[in-house]
């Protein structure tokens, strides 16, 4: 293993909470963990594009209500969905669908059981399996959902009792074969997987020779997903995009072929469906005749889950639900994703189930989340409608809306964003359109104030006092965050999460990180770039701006030109030292996409980097793979983890529209957002929770038994361990001591970015760019 103790590693990262072990995505695919269990939480990254100019008067932002639900024509399918190739409209677009949550058995969490798997039996019932880590009474439990979907019947899985003591941790998955027999596959302490079949009150092991073969590095075969066909043939797709068909009697390989990601696999009867590795279509395979059938045409990228009903095949991805003839048809969108839970690009859907035209999606979050998508019942009794708005789509808000609707099904909640308006619009246009709606009394009830001009809203009296909404939970909010947003006895805005920039050193002087000038001087002293060369100016400019924000205005409100000149000059020196480029289309940029909403840390052999700038939003997470290995990196380098001078970046900043007609419902939403339940949600890469009890739970976590293996550029394997409890306590301590909020106003940043890029690209002199920023900022603040 290589160690670069003499060099420096700098992580500018943010903290997020994710209950359970996380799994990173590999480029072009989905998660690639070194170990697999269906309870693993997958993650992916996504980045929205910026719009072009459009007159604000032409913008109309409509709430995502049933009446305003968009109707897509064939061209829209090809442009907006990931499953294009549509040539007709054989299947109608389903409208007026509502997302509902199905609550799990209330005692699962209290019993400490962890998710194992979920199946749909021959009666169409959902069976939810859990593992009891204590293994005192039963190793496995089965919960069967009642017909009215309001309760679960619990029973012990007695046939699996003999597996006690053979399983490593909770690494076991139960499945129901198409032959209507129950099976399970599990990992033992020697990292070898086993496959068993229920036989009465016990089981029989089916030895699969392939699973006992080790590859270079003494790593056992790790099955990704296993299914059993109606004829008993065992089907396994692994993490290397290979699918194997095994004989059920002796486990010998009958056939194998290249395929797509294993979690997309679905088996119906003796037919296998799985995404294709290269085309984005769905492969169709006959597990009886052991031959390929015609492809089902599509253009799926990732995160696809498949179900079959009769002659039709259904596929769900973040763009919607699609349908095709399973015998060689083409996928067509039948349900737009909108702001449904499965629209998240960083989501974790594990299984798509169906009953008629009702869809069920099981998500591997927390103890498991089941969402139901069905046509709206005209007899449902609603007490009101609530609208939530954010400038950009936020997966945190998507999760909050979904959880709130689960708690309050009598309230209709619609989530709007500035994205997706007809045509392409600038940030300024979106904000002007939003402001016009608010002033006209037709604005959304809840405002997610991230990147919005909060100061202007407060001056104009457009934000209501949140004191009543948070009165019952106020004492549970960490005081260092609460105090930053309390004005006298009023609170007009409050974040539900916050990110903490941190630095990981390798023994260097802490003063290097005290200012941008000190950091730039250090970078200029190095002979080679300390971060990847040829990253675009836009990446580094945003990174520097939000980690070393310049003071733009004096206490009197005057624009500080000297500070702007200094920031531009230092940014130029940093970009020159790091060999940055003007183009965003460089090979390095494509490999390491970066923005404040996304970083470029994943997939990087971090042992070899002198300095690593990670993502702002995905910083360091106490309970995810993103963070759990970083303390070990600091230890291996002989360094330490430092906070960034008490700075933090708020995320999910909530405010209530003072002109809302639904203030009581809005206050109910805000109250729920700061409850322990909602603060414990494990949305991917959104920051630390602000709830003291949840932070305390994080500080007590210990993931030192998790080991991440990666390779350096020479092919040698490097390992990193998860964090110890003491390390978690230290990092939570950093989070609970921050007290310097970083302003998040996208219109201000866009002004600085536009003029700074002209300077960095050699299109303007330093003094000219700085003067233009001053003039534009003066005008902006004057108009506020």
């Amino acid at each position: 293993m290589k160690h670069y103790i003499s060099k420096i590693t700098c992580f500018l990262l943010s903290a997020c909470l994710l209950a359970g072990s996380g799994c990173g995505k590999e480029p072009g695919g989905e998660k690639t963990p070194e170990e697999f269990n269906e309870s693993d939480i997958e993650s992916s990254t996504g980045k929205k594009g910026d719009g072009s100019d459009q007159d604000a008067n032409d913008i109309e932002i409509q709430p995502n209500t049933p009446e305003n639900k968009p109707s897509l024509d064939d061209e829209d399918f090809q442009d907006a969905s990931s499953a294009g190739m549509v040539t007709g409209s054989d299947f109608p677009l389903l409208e007026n669908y509502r997302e509902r949550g199905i609550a799990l058995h209330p005692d699962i969490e209290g019993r400490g059981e962890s998710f194992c798997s979920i199946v749909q039996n021959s009666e169409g019932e959902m069976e939810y399996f859990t593992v009891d880590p204590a293994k005192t009474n039963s190793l496995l439990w089965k919960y069967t959902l009642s017909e009215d979907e309001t309760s679960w019947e619990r029973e012990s899985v007695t046939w699996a009792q003999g597996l006690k003591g053979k399983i490593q941790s909770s690494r076991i998955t139960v499945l129901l074969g198409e032959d209507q027999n129950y099976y399970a596959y599990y990992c033992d302490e020697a990292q070898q997987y086993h496959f068993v079949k229920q036989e009465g009150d016990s089981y029989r092991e089916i030895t699969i020779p392939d699973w006992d073969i080790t590859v270079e590095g003494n790593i056992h075969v790790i099955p990704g997903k296993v299914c059993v066909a109606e004829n008993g043939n065992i089907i396994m797709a692994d993490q290397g995009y290979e699918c194997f068909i095994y004989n059920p009697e002796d486990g010998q390989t009958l056939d194998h072929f290249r395929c797509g990601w294993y979690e997309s696999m679905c088996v119906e009867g003796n037919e296998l469906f799985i995404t294709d590795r290269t085309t984005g279509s769905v492969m169709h395979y006959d597990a009886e005749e052991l031959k390929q059938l015609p492809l089902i045409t599509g253009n799926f990228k990732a995160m696809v889950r498949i179900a079959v009903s009769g002659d039709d095949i259904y596929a769900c991805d973040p763009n919607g639900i699609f349908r095709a003839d399973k015998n060689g048809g083409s996928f067509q969108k039948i349900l737009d994703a909108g702001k449904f839970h499965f629209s998240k690009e960083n989501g974790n859907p594990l299984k798509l189930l169906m009953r008629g035209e009702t869809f069920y999606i099981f998500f591997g979050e927390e103890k498991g989340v089941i969402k139901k998508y069905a046509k709206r019942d005209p007899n449902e009794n609603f007490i009101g409608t609530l609208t939530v708005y954010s400038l950009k789509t936020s997966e945190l808000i998507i999760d909050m809306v979904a959880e709130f609707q689960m708690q309050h099904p009598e309230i209709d909640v619609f989530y709007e964003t500035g994205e997706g308006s007809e045509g392409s619009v600038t940030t300024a246009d979106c904000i002007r359109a939003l402001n016009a709606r608010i002033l006209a009394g037709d604005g959304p009830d809840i405002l997610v104030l991230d990147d919005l001009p909060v100061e202007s809203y407060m001056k104009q009296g457009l934000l209501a006092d949140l004191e009543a909404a948070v009165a019952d939970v106020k004492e549970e909010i960490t005081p260092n965050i609460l105090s930053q947003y309390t004005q006298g006895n009023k609170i007009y805005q409050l974040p539900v999460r916050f990110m903490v920039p941190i630095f990981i050193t390798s023994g260097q002087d802490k003063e290097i990180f005290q200012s941008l000038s000190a950091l730039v001087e250090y970078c200029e002293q190095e002979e080679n770039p300390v971060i990847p060369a040829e990253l675009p100016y836009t990446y580094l400019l945003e990174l520097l701006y939000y980690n070393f924000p310049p003071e733009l205005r004096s206490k009197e409100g005057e624009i500080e030109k000297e500070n702007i000149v200094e920031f531009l000059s230092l940014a130029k020196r940093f970009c020159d030292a790091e060999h940055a480029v003007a183009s965003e289309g460089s090979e390095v940029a494509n490999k390491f996409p970066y923005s404040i909403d996304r970083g470029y840390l994943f997939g990087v052999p971090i042992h070899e980097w002198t300095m690593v700038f990670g993502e702002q939003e995905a910083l360091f997470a106490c309970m995810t793979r993103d963070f759990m290995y970083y303390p070990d990196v600091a230890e291996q380098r002989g360094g330490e983890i430092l906070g960034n001078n008490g700075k933090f970046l708020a995320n999910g900043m909530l405010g209530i529209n003072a002109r809302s007609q639904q203030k009581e419902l809005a206050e109910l939403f805000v109250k729920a957002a700061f409850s322990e339940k909602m603060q414990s949600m494990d949305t991917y890469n959104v920051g630390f929770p602000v709830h003291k009890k949840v932070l305390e739970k994080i500080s007590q976590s210990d993931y030192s038994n998790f080991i991440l293996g990666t390779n350096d550029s020479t092919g040698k394997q490097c390992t990193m361990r998860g964090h110890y409890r003491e390390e978690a306590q230290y990092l939570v301590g950093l989070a609970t001591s921050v007290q310097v909020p970083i302003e998040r106003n996208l219109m201000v940043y866009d002004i600085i970015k536009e003029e700074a890029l002209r300077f960095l690209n050699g299109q303007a002199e330093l003094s000219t760019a700085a003067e233009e920023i001053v003039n534009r900022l003066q005008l902006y603040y004057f108009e506020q």
Side-chain angles (χ1 to χ4, degrees):
M1 182 186 302
K2 289 189 177 181
H3 294 267
Y4 288 81
I5 302 300
S6 62
K7 295 291 186 178
I8 185 170
T9 299
C10 169
F11 288 85
L12 297 178
L13 306 170
S14 299
C16 68
L17 169 66
L18 186 62
S21 60
C23 298
K25 290 287 183 74
E26 70 169 347
E30 294 193 35
K31 66 180 180 182
T32 56
E34 73 281 9
E35 301 174 351
F36 171 80
N37 184 289
E38 275 199 35
S39 62
D40 285 351
I41 303 220
E42 70 180 0
S43 61
S44 66
T45 50
K47 181 179 180 182
K48 302 292 184 184
D50 295 327
S52 57
D53 292 343
Q54 178 175 336
D55 193 301
N57 295 327
D58 295 332
I59 303 170
E60 182 178 7
I61 302 176
Q62 293 282 1
N64 186 24
T65 60
E67 294 78 12
N68 296 322
K69 198 167 186 69
S71 176
L72 303 179
D73 57 24
D74 294 342
E75 183 178 354
D76 291 324
F77 279 128
Q78 295 179 355
D79 292 340
S81 79
S82 67
M85 314 297 291
V86 177
T87 57
S89 184
D90 299 334
F91 305 119
L93 190 68
L94 301 175
E95 296 183 345
N96 297 332
Y97 265 57
R98 191 167 190 261
E99 178 180 77
R100 286 290 193 91
I102 297 178
L104 298 179
H105 193 288
D107 295 334
I108 289 178
E109 185 172 4
R111 294 186 175 119
E113 298 169 18
S114 59
F115 166 67
C116 170
S117 55
I118 188 168
V119 304
Q120 188 173 23
N121 64 27
S122 58
E123 304 298 322
E125 300 172 319
M126 274 185 274
E127 297 176 347
Y128 179 91
F129 290 87
T130 64
V131 185
D132 182 357
K135 305 178 181 66
T136 51
N137 297 315
S138 178
L139 171 66
L140 298 174
W141 294 92
K142 180 175 75 173
Y143 295 81
T144 304
L145 185 62
S146 63
E147 187 174 351
D148 61 4
E149 300 178 349
T150 61
S151 62
W152 297 84
E153 181 181 349
R154 180 177 186 253
E155 60 181 301
S156 172
V157 183
T158 57
W159 64 267
Q161 288 293 79
L163 296 175
K164 279 186 178 182
K166 298 182 178 182
I167 299 171
Q168 183 194 73
S169 186
S170 299
R171 296 172 63 185
I172 182 171
T173 300
V174 176
L175 63 105
L176 178 61
E178 288 297 296
D179 60 356
Q180 298 308 305
N181 290 306
Y182 285 93
Y183 299 83
Y185 54 104
Y186 68 91
C187 182
D188 64 21
E189 293 293 340
Q191 304 298 321
Q192 181 176 341
Y193 274 84
H194 302 263
F195 191 71
V196 299
K197 176 182 180 181
Q198 177 189 5
E199 289 193 348
D201 290 334
S202 187
Y203 64 87
R204 173 176 63 88
E205 178 161 1
I206 301 174
T207 300
I208 300 178
D210 272 358
W211 292 11
D212 193 29
I213 297 175
T214 59
V215 296
E216 184 180 353
N218 197 35
I219 300 174
H220 288 281
V221 171
I222 302 174
K225 185 173 182 178
V226 183
C227 297
V228 177
E230 189 174 23
N231 63 1
N233 282 347
I234 302 164
I235 305 169
M236 186 274 284
D238 66 15
Q239 297 172 29
Y241 299 95
E242 292 277 351
C243 188
F244 297 84
I245 316 298
Y246 301 117
N247 186 301
E249 300 303 323
D250 56 14
Q252 295 295 324
T253 301
L254 300 174
D255 193 12
H256 70 93
F257 51 87
R258 295 286 287 169
C259 63
W261 190 243
Y262 64 83
E263 284 186 309
S264 67
M265 184 168 68
C266 170
V267 174
E268 180 82 1
N270 288 319
E271 296 175 289
L272 162 65
F273 303 89
I274 191 168
T275 52
D276 180 60
R277 177 73 172 113
T278 57
T279 67
S281 296
V282 171
M283 303 175 69
H284 188 185
Y285 180 84
D286 188 331
E288 178 75 27
E289 300 294 331
L290 304 180
K291 66 178 183 180
Q292 297 287 347
L293 299 174
L295 283 174
I296 305 166
T297 306
N299 188 29
F300 296 110
K301 304 301 182 185
M303 202 95 78
V304 184
R305 303 297 176 257
I306 297 171
V308 177
S309 178
D311 291 331
D312 293 327
I313 180 171
Y314 296 82
C316 174
D317 80 351
N319 292 281
I321 295 179
F322 303 83
R323 182 178 178 183
D325 186 323
K326 71 178 184 180
N327 297 308
S330 296
F331 281 101
Q332 300 170 30
K333 183 183 289 187
I334 61 170
L335 182 64
D336 190 73
K339 297 296 186 294
F340 287 146
H341 198 73
F342 65 84
S343 68
K344 301 196 311 176
E345 295 194 26
N346 290 324
N348 185 27
L350 291 182
K351 182 167 286 190
L352 171 66
L353 302 173
M354 294 183 57
R355 287 182 182 174
E357 288 192 330
T358 299
F359 304 94
Y360 299 82
I361 301 177
F362 180 75
F363 298 87
E365 301 163 7
E366 299 179 74
K367 297 297 179 180
V369 178
I370 301 174
K371 301 293 182 182
K372 174 182 178 179
Y373 303 88
K375 289 183 178 179
R376 301 171 65 86
D377 183 351
N379 297 319
E380 286 182 293
N381 183 27
F382 295 101
I383 65 172
T385 299
L386 193 63
T387 56
V388 180
Y389 176 95
S390 66
L391 188 61
K392 297 184 290 186
T393 299
S394 165
E395 300 200 346
L396 170 63
I397 303 303
I398 290 176
D399 281 355
M400 290 172 59
V401 168
E403 176 61 30
F404 183 77
Q405 287 198 298
M406 180 177 283
Q407 297 177 14
H408 299 278
E410 74 282 3
I411 301 174
D412 245 346
V413 185
F414 298 103
Y415 176 31
E416 312 168 11
T417 70
E419 300 168 327
S421 304
E422 255 185 64
S424 297
V425 296
T426 65
T427 298
D429 289 337
C430 286
I431 293 177
R432 282 196 291 269
L434 172 66
N435 294 347
R437 291 176 58 199
I438 294 174
L439 293 171
D442 188 35
D445 306 295
I446 300 288
L447 295 170
V448 181
L449 298 166
D450 299 347
D451 298 321
L452 292 176
V454 181
E455 183 179 338
S456 173
Y457 289 173
M458 293 174 63
K459 285 182 179 179
Q460 297 181 61
L462 300 181
L463 297 178
D465 184 9
L466 301 179
E467 178 65 31
V470 301
D472 294 343
V473 294
K474 190 174 178 180
E475 294 300 317
E476 298 299 330
I477 299 174
T478 182
N480 65 314
I481 299 298
L482 180 64
S483 62
Q484 300 303 315
Y485 302 101
T486 302
Q487 299 183 2
N489 60 350
K490 295 183 181 296
I491 304 172
Y492 295 103
Q493 56 175 327
L494 197 60
V496 292
R497 296 289 193 279
F498 65 104
M499 282 73 74
V500 182
I502 61 173
F503 303 96
I504 296 184
T505 75
S506 54
Q508 283 71 22
D509 189 340
K510 297 179 182 180
E511 293 301 316
I512 291 173
F513 307 104
Q514 294 303 305
S515 67
L516 179 55
S517 60
L519 179 63
V520 170
E521 288 175 7
Y522 172 81
C523 293
E524 289 177 331
Q525 293 171 6
E526 293 291 300
E527 295 182 1
N528 300 311
V530 296
I531 62 175
E534 297 186 9
L535 285 172
Y537 293 143
T538 52
Y539 289 15
L540 302 188
L541 183 66
E542 185 174 48
L543 183 149
L544 296 178
Y545 179 80
Y546 284 105
N547 282 280
F548 300 96
E551 290 288 342
L552 299 176
R553 290 191 293 168
S554 67
K555 294 181 180 180
E556 293 74 26
E558 298 296 322
I559 305 300
E560 298 279 15
K561 182 178 179 180
E562 295 80 5
N563 294 345
I564 294 172
V565 170
E566 181 185 31
F567 176 77
L568 294 181
S569 177
L570 290 171
K572 178 69 163 64
R573 289 170 58 187
F574 184 87
C575 289
D576 288 346
E578 299 312 309
H579 300 182
V581 296
S583 172
E584 294 191 42
S586 69
E587 181 179 347
V588 178
N590 292 333
K591 185 176 182 181
F592 306 125
Y594 176 86
S595 76
I596 195 172
D597 297 313
R598 179 179 177 176
Y600 55 84
L601 182 63
F602 293 111
V604 178
I606 59 180
H607 287 73
E608 300 188 40
W609 285 30
T610 304
M611 182 179 292
V612 178
F613 286 95
E615 56 267 34
Q616 281 280 355
E617 300 251 342
L619 275 181
F620 158 82
C622 284
M623 299 180 70
T624 71
R625 168 174 276 167
D626 308 338
F627 151 71
M628 66 168 64
Y629 303 99
Y630 294 165
D632 194 37
V633 174
E635 181 179 310
Q636 290 183 33
R637 294 172 178 270
E640 59 183 316
I641 298 174
L642 305 174
N644 185 2
N645 301 297
K647 295 187 182 73
F648 71 91
L649 189 71
N651 187 26
M653 183 76 77
L654 297 187
I656 294 178
N657 179 0
R659 303 188 181 193
S660 167
Q661 301 300 310
Q662 298 286 353
K663 282 188 182 178
E664 290 187 4
L665 299 185
E667 290 179 350
L668 189 63
F669 183 91
V670 171
K671 179 180 178 180
F674 293 97
S675 67
E676 185 175 356
K677 169 65 175 176
M678 208 171 283
Q679 287 282 303
S680 297
M681 290 192 310
D682 59 1
T683 306
Y684 179 74
N685 288 350
V686 295
F688 279 109
V690 300
H691 197 284
K692 289 188 289 188
K693 289 184 179 179
V694 182
L695 283 169
E696 176 61 22
K697 289 180 181 178
I698 295 174
S699 72
Q700 298 302 311
S701 64
D702 188 322
Y703 282 83
S704 58
N705 62 319
F706 284 81
I707 302 297
L708 173 65
T710 185
N711 294 323
D712 63 20
S713 60
T714 67
K716 292 182 179 179
Q717 189 176 59
C718 306
T719 60
M720 293 179 287
R721 62 157 174 82
H723 65 265
Y724 289 112
R725 179 178 299 176
E726 294 77 13
E727 292 167 331
Q729 290 172 341
Y730 171 75
L731 288 156
V732 171
L734 288 180
T736 53
S737 63
V738 296
Q739 53 188 356
V740 182
I742 300 172
E743 183 183 12
R744 192 168 177 174
N745 185 323
L746 196 54
M747 290 185 70
V748 169
Y749 176 69
D750 281 349
I751 290 173
I752 294 173
K753 179 177 71 171
E754 183 176 335
E755 300 302 331
L757 288 177
R758 292 180 63 236
F759 166 57
L760 294 173
N761 288 325
Q763 300 170 343
E765 297 293 330
L766 173 61
S767 58
T768 303
E771 187 65 32
E772 191 63 26
I773 290 174
V774 170
N775 294 335
R776 292 181 64 181
L777 287 180
Q778 285 177 336
L779 179 60
Y780 168 77
Y781 286 116
F782 175 77
E783 291 178 342
Q784 301 307 303

